[in-house]
Amino acid sequence: MAPRLEAEYGLEIEIISKPKAEYDSDEYFALDLPFAPAIRVGEKLVTEGNDIAEEKLEAVIKEQLGL
């Protein structure tokens, strides 16, 4: 999904993947990052702690781009 959306909308997508144990660590919580899995578009946190349908993510991207 990410490569297609990146190409279609000219986006820069950063994917961060770590072992589950790292997301459950005190060090991760100290960073004040969203619960994984999470998706942020610009400054907007779109989903935290669960997945998202591709259509909903694409709608948020279009909204951010003013399309």
Side-chain angles (χ1 to χ4, degrees):
M1 166 175 36
R4 183 188 70 76
L5 294 172
E6 189 172 34
E8 186 170 337
Y9 295 103
L11 304 172
E12 180 181 327
I13 295 177
E14 179 181 359
I15 298 174
I16 300 171
S17 179
K18 300 178 183 207
K20 182 170 175 20
E22 284 190 45
Y23 290 114
D24 291 334
S25 70
D26 290 336
E27 292 82 13
Y28 181 81
F29 288 111
L31 296 173
D32 197 29
L33 295 171
F35 294 108
I39 296 176
R40 183 184 312 247
V41 176
E43 294 300 315
K44 182 177 183 176
L45 184 60
V46 179
T47 186
E48 178 179 18
N50 46 41
D51 292 327
I52 187 172
E54 184 173 347
E55 295 80 21
K56 182 176 180 183
L57 177 57
E58 191 166 3
V60 173
I61 290 169
K62 286 179 179 180
E63 177 184 317
Q64 286 284 321
L65 294 174
L67 302 176

